[in-house]
PDB file of all heavy atoms in Angstrom:
ATOM      1  N   LYS B 936     134.403 106.286  72.627  1.00  0.00           N
ATOM      2  CA  LYS B 936     135.422 105.983  71.605  1.00  0.00           C
ATOM      3  C   LYS B 936     134.975 104.709  70.872  1.00  0.00           C
ATOM      4  O   LYS B 936     135.277 103.599  71.306  1.00  0.00           O
ATOM      5  CB  LYS B 936     136.779 105.751  72.274  1.00  0.00           C
ATOM      6  CG  LYS B 936     137.293 106.976  73.036  1.00  0.00           C
ATOM      7  CD  LYS B 936     138.525 106.623  73.856  1.00  0.00           C
ATOM      8  CE  LYS B 936     139.778 106.544  73.016  1.00  0.00           C
ATOM      9  NZ  LYS B 936     140.254 107.855  72.579  1.00  0.00           N
ATOM     10  N   THR B 937     134.274 104.882  69.773  1.00  0.00           N
ATOM     11  CA  THR B 937     133.558 103.750  69.165  1.00  0.00           C
ATOM     12  C   THR B 937     134.468 102.591  68.790  1.00  0.00           C
ATOM     13  O   THR B 937     134.072 101.432  68.904  1.00  0.00           O
ATOM     14  CB  THR B 937     132.761 104.212  67.923  1.00  0.00           C
ATOM     15  OG1 THR B 937     133.647 104.957  67.092  1.00  0.00           O
ATOM     16  CG2 THR B 937     131.579 105.066  68.326  1.00  0.00           C
ATOM     17  N   ALA B 938     135.686 102.871  68.362  1.00  0.00           N
ATOM     18  CA  ALA B 938     136.577 101.781  67.958  1.00  0.00           C
ATOM     19  C   ALA B 938     136.892 100.847  69.128  1.00  0.00           C
ATOM     20  O   ALA B 938     137.188  99.673  68.932  1.00  0.00           O
ATOM     21  CB  ALA B 938     137.874 102.348  67.387  1.00  0.00           C
ATOM     22  N   TRP B 939     136.832 101.388  70.317  1.00  0.00           N
ATOM     23  CA  TRP B 939     137.192 100.599  71.497  1.00  0.00           C
ATOM     24  C   TRP B 939     135.999  99.888  72.124  1.00  0.00           C
ATOM     25  O   TRP B 939     136.162  99.092  73.055  1.00  0.00           O
ATOM     26  CB  TRP B 939     137.851 101.517  72.548  1.00  0.00           C
ATOM     27  CG  TRP B 939     139.250 101.888  72.147  1.00  0.00           C
ATOM     28  CD1 TRP B 939     139.620 102.851  71.274  1.00  0.00           C
ATOM     29  CD2 TRP B 939     140.457 101.258  72.587  1.00  0.00           C
ATOM     30  NE1 TRP B 939     140.984 102.874  71.137  1.00  0.00           N
ATOM     31  CE2 TRP B 939     141.525 101.899  71.944  1.00  0.00           C
ATOM     32  CE3 TRP B 939     140.736 100.212  73.470  1.00  0.00           C
ATOM     33  CZ2 TRP B 939     142.852 101.535  72.149  1.00  0.00           C
ATOM     34  CZ3 TRP B 939     142.058  99.850  73.680  1.00  0.00           C
ATOM     35  CH2 TRP B 939     143.106 100.509  73.012  1.00  0.00           C
ATOM     36  N   ARG B 940     134.826 100.206  71.639  1.00  0.00           N
ATOM     37  CA  ARG B 940     133.626  99.639  72.238  1.00  0.00           C
ATOM     38  C   ARG B 940     133.638  98.115  72.071  1.00  0.00           C
ATOM     39  O   ARG B 940     133.906  97.619  70.974  1.00  0.00           O
ATOM     40  CB  ARG B 940     132.390 100.250  71.558  1.00  0.00           C
ATOM     41  CG  ARG B 940     131.211 100.392  72.474  1.00  0.00           C
ATOM     42  CD  ARG B 940     130.107 101.187  71.795  1.00  0.00           C
ATOM     43  NE  ARG B 940     130.301 102.636  71.894  1.00  0.00           N
ATOM     44  CZ  ARG B 940     129.538 103.528  71.257  1.00  0.00           C
ATOM     45  NH1 ARG B 940     128.559 103.126  70.479  1.00  0.00           N
ATOM     46  NH2 ARG B 940     129.775 104.815  71.422  1.00  0.00           N
ATOM     47  N   ASN B 941     133.390  97.411  73.158  1.00  0.00           N
ATOM     48  CA  ASN B 941     133.328  95.946  73.152  1.00  0.00           C
ATOM     49  C   ASN B 941     134.670  95.304  72.779  1.00  0.00           C
ATOM     50  O   ASN B 941     134.715  94.204  72.227  1.00  0.00           O
ATOM     51  CB  ASN B 941     132.223  95.446  72.216  1.00  0.00           C
ATOM     52  CG  ASN B 941     130.874  96.000  72.633  1.00  0.00           C
ATOM     53  OD1 ASN B 941     130.564  96.018  73.822  1.00  0.00           O
ATOM     54  ND2 ASN B 941     130.100  96.483  71.682  1.00  0.00           N
ATOM     55  N   PHE B 942     135.751  95.987  73.076  1.00  0.00           N
ATOM     56  CA  PHE B 942     137.088  95.430  72.847  1.00  0.00           C
ATOM     57  C   PHE B 942     137.475  94.542  74.033  1.00  0.00           C
ATOM     58  O   PHE B 942     137.417  94.962  75.191  1.00  0.00           O
ATOM     59  CB  PHE B 942     138.102  96.562  72.683  1.00  0.00           C
ATOM     60  CG  PHE B 942     139.534  96.071  72.588  1.00  0.00           C
ATOM     61  CD1 PHE B 942     139.922  95.179  71.590  1.00  0.00           C
ATOM     62  CD2 PHE B 942     140.493  96.510  73.503  1.00  0.00           C
ATOM     63  CE1 PHE B 942     141.239  94.727  71.514  1.00  0.00           C
ATOM     64  CE2 PHE B 942     141.810  96.070  73.429  1.00  0.00           C
ATOM     65  CZ  PHE B 942     142.180  95.176  72.429  1.00  0.00           C
ATOM     66  N   ASP B 943     137.893  93.321  73.726  1.00  0.00           N
ATOM     67  CA  ASP B 943     138.287  92.358  74.760  1.00  0.00           C
ATOM     68  C   ASP B 943     139.734  92.645  75.171  1.00  0.00           C
ATOM     69  O   ASP B 943     140.673  91.983  74.731  1.00  0.00           O
ATOM     70  CB  ASP B 943     138.150  90.929  74.224  1.00  0.00           C
ATOM     71  CG  ASP B 943     138.568  89.895  75.266  1.00  0.00           C
ATOM     72  OD1 ASP B 943     138.816  90.272  76.430  1.00  0.00           O
ATOM     73  OD2 ASP B 943     138.644  88.713  74.892  1.00  0.00           O
ATOM     74  N   PHE B 944     139.881  93.613  76.031  1.00  0.00           N
ATOM     75  CA  PHE B 944     141.200  94.146  76.379  1.00  0.00           C
ATOM     76  C   PHE B 944     141.998  93.094  77.164  1.00  0.00           C
ATOM     77  O   PHE B 944     143.107  92.682  76.755  1.00  0.00           O
ATOM     78  CB  PHE B 944     141.016  95.426  77.189  1.00  0.00           C
ATOM     79  CG  PHE B 944     142.216  96.305  77.300  1.00  0.00           C
ATOM     80  CD1 PHE B 944     142.067  97.608  77.784  1.00  0.00           C
ATOM     81  CD2 PHE B 944     143.472  95.887  76.913  1.00  0.00           C
ATOM     82  CE1 PHE B 944     143.167  98.454  77.890  1.00  0.00           C
ATOM     83  CE2 PHE B 944     144.577  96.733  77.024  1.00  0.00           C
ATOM     84  CZ  PHE B 944     144.413  98.005  77.523  1.00  0.00           C
ATOM     85  N   ALA B 945     141.455  92.629  78.263  1.00  0.00           N
ATOM     86  CA  ALA B 945     142.184  91.666  79.098  1.00  0.00           C
ATOM     87  C   ALA B 945     142.462  90.388  78.303  1.00  0.00           C
ATOM     88  O   ALA B 945     143.571  89.840  78.355  1.00  0.00           O
ATOM     89  CB  ALA B 945     141.394  91.365  80.371  1.00  0.00           C
ATOM     90  N   GLY B 946     141.466  89.932  77.552  1.00  0.00           N
ATOM     91  CA  GLY B 946     141.627  88.685  76.790  1.00  0.00           C
ATOM     92  C   GLY B 946     142.702  88.801  75.723  1.00  0.00           C
ATOM     93  O   GLY B 946     143.498  87.879  75.512  1.00  0.00           O
ATOM     94  N   THR B 947     142.733  89.950  75.046  1.00  0.00           N
ATOM     95  CA  THR B 947     143.729  90.165  73.990  1.00  0.00           C
ATOM     96  C   THR B 947     145.148  90.090  74.563  1.00  0.00           C
ATOM     97  O   THR B 947     146.033  89.431  73.988  1.00  0.00           O
ATOM     98  CB  THR B 947     143.496  91.539  73.322  1.00  0.00           C
ATOM     99  OG1 THR B 947     142.197  91.533  72.738  1.00  0.00           O
ATOM    100  CG2 THR B 947     144.545  91.823  72.261  1.00  0.00           C
ATOM    101  N   VAL B 948     145.345  90.737  75.693  1.00  0.00           N
ATOM    102  CA  VAL B 948     146.678  90.737  76.307  1.00  0.00           C
ATOM    103  C   VAL B 948     147.012  89.347  76.856  1.00  0.00           C
ATOM    104  O   VAL B 948     148.141  88.855  76.719  1.00  0.00           O
ATOM    105  CB  VAL B 948     146.757  91.820  77.411  1.00  0.00           C
ATOM    106  CG1 VAL B 948     148.077  91.736  78.175  1.00  0.00           C
ATOM    107  CG2 VAL B 948     146.593  93.208  76.793  1.00  0.00           C
ATOM    108  N   ARG B 949     146.021  88.705  77.457  1.00  0.00           N
ATOM    109  CA  ARG B 949     146.251  87.370  78.014  1.00  0.00           C
ATOM    110  C   ARG B 949     146.676  86.396  76.923  1.00  0.00           C
ATOM    111  O   ARG B 949     147.643  85.646  77.080  1.00  0.00           O
ATOM    112  CB  ARG B 949     144.981  86.856  78.706  1.00  0.00           C
ATOM    113  CG  ARG B 949     145.185  85.564  79.493  1.00  0.00           C
ATOM    114  CD  ARG B 949     143.882  84.980  80.037  1.00  0.00           C
ATOM    115  NE  ARG B 949     143.101  85.956  80.768  1.00  0.00           N
ATOM    116  CZ  ARG B 949     141.924  86.458  80.382  1.00  0.00           C
ATOM    117  NH1 ARG B 949     141.364  86.048  79.248  1.00  0.00           N
ATOM    118  NH2 ARG B 949     141.301  87.340  81.107  1.00  0.00           N
ATOM    119  N   LYS B 950     145.959  86.454  75.806  1.00  0.00           N
ATOM    120  CA  LYS B 950     146.275  85.518  74.720  1.00  0.00           C
ATOM    121  C   LYS B 950     147.634  85.843  74.097  1.00  0.00           C
ATOM    122  O   LYS B 950     148.402  84.944  73.767  1.00  0.00           O
ATOM    123  CB  LYS B 950     145.167  85.566  73.663  1.00  0.00           C
ATOM    124  CG  LYS B 950     143.896  84.825  74.104  1.00  0.00           C
ATOM    125  CD  LYS B 950     142.716  85.139  73.185  1.00  0.00           C
ATOM    126  CE  LYS B 950     141.402  84.961  73.935  1.00  0.00           C
ATOM    127  NZ  LYS B 950     140.326  85.788  73.361  1.00  0.00           N
ATOM    128  N   ALA B 951     147.932  87.120  73.950  1.00  0.00           N
ATOM    129  CA  ALA B 951     149.186  87.499  73.296  1.00  0.00           C
ATOM    130  C   ALA B 951     150.401  87.098  74.125  1.00  0.00           C
ATOM    131  O   ALA B 951     151.456  86.750  73.578  1.00  0.00           O
ATOM    132  CB  ALA B 951     149.205  89.006  73.032  1.00  0.00           C
ATOM    133  N   LEU B 952     150.267  87.132  75.444  1.00  0.00           N
ATOM    134  CA  LEU B 952     151.431  86.878  76.297  1.00  0.00           C
ATOM    135  C   LEU B 952     151.330  85.553  77.050  1.00  0.00           C
ATOM    136  O   LEU B 952     152.309  85.130  77.676  1.00  0.00           O
ATOM    137  CB  LEU B 952     151.597  88.024  77.307  1.00  0.00           C
ATOM    138  CG  LEU B 952     152.018  89.370  76.691  1.00  0.00           C
ATOM    139  CD1 LEU B 952     151.814  90.505  77.684  1.00  0.00           C
ATOM    140  CD2 LEU B 952     153.486  89.322  76.250  1.00  0.00           C
ATOM    141  N   ASN B 953     150.161  84.943  76.993  1.00  0.00           N
ATOM    142  CA  ASN B 953     149.928  83.693  77.713  1.00  0.00           C
ATOM    143  C   ASN B 953     150.309  83.814  79.198  1.00  0.00           C
ATOM    144  O   ASN B 953     151.049  83.002  79.738  1.00  0.00           O
ATOM    145  CB  ASN B 953     150.702  82.544  77.042  1.00  0.00           C
ATOM    146  CG  ASN B 953     150.180  81.184  77.500  1.00  0.00           C
ATOM    147  OD1 ASN B 953     149.018  81.051  77.873  1.00  0.00           O
ATOM    148  ND2 ASN B 953     151.054  80.179  77.488  1.00  0.00           N
TER     149      ASN B 953
END
Side-chain angles (χ1 to χ4, degrees):
Chain B
K936 298 171 78 73
T937 50
W939 286 81
R940 212 172 277 173
N941 302 316
F942 174 58
D943 179 8
F944 197 167
T947 299
V948 173
R949 189 187 309 112
K950 284 168 206 154
L952 291 166
N953 196 27

